[in-house]
Amino acid sequence: MATAFKGGSFEYYGRQYRDVFARFHIELEPRETAGAGENIKLLLDPNSDVEIALVVGGISDGKHAPGLLSLGTAWNQPFWLFYTSNEPFDRLSQLKGKRIAAGPVGSGTRLTAEQILGKGGVNSETATLLPYAGTAAVEALNDGKVDAVWTLGSPDATAVKSLLVNPNVRLMSFPTAEAFTIIFPDLVRLVLPRGVIDIDRNIPADDVPLIGTTAKVLVRGDLHPEIVQLLLQTMVEVHGGRQIFQRSGEFPNSTDTEYPVAPAAIDFYKNGPSFMQRHVPLWLSVHAQRAIAVLVAAIALGLPTARLLPLAYNWIMRRRLFYWYAQLKALEASFDGQAFE
């Protein structure tokens, strides 16, 4: 499973997925990558051994990545802009001339940074975009190697959480978040409520408007159906509850407008897990479904044969009757011959 760099939300959720799979005695190996862009390339590469990937919206789509299926959107992924300046920032143009940790080139973090920061005139010509991401970006900010960090991820991700509670770091708000959702339709407006990170220390001190996107799970089209079902159940367990940026039961869902949603996922969100998936262990479910398939095939072949049985029985009985009738006629003929003598 392709995740991302250390300290990011993909790495955070990848570990949770691995733990759920382990309960079913299946080993899931999260693979560290540069981010969503590389994840899609790995899924498309048949020699990569990657069959599952976490990605964000706005990076690619089914037209440019054929053969990939979506299992639906899994959670809201906010963008964060942390900085160390004593001067409060409320406009992107204030980042001009700054050193910004914007993620590796080609990653989802870098692509979104170029798109969104670019709207404020912040680009590689007006600022210094450096490839730090995750925990490496946190260390760079703490060491004074960068002035700001652009990152995306859950508030529970290691890197984001450490910056949110750092008294020397500020979080930039996006008062024009609604405008960004109109400019970029794949973005959503989010609000970080006052005190939600730490009520006692009142972190944050005010409601903070943010922008974000949705994260999704992509798989190869030939991934085993039982693994797909386990992934869907895992997504519900990990992402289905109440979180800062979502209501209970809001995620996961099948509303992916970029990739074709797997038919199994559509059925799962509509009808829920099947009886067998709810009550039968995964290893036994695989064997049970194979046995059912063999039984169905046997019945399909056996029904036409069963219709021929009465005809075959009649033919055998008629043949036996003809045989004994011939024997009786031969016996009768022998009696007639003796009578003439």
Side-chain angles (χ1 to χ4, degrees), residues 28 61 71 83 135 142 146 163 171 226 242 246 260 307:
L28 178 66
D61 54 35
L71 298 189
Y83 61 96
T135 53
N142 291 333
V146 297
L163 291 172
L171 172 63
E226 290 303 320
R242 179 73 166 94
Q246 66 189 56
R307 295 179 61 184

Side-chain angles (χ1 to χ4, degrees), residues 300-320:
L301 293 173
L303 282 176
T305 305
R307 295 179 61 184
L308 296 175
L309 287 178
L311 298 176
Y313 176 78
N314 288 335
W315 181 80
I316 292 172
M317 294 305 297
R318 287 171 63 86
R319 187 176 179 185
R320 293 181 64 184

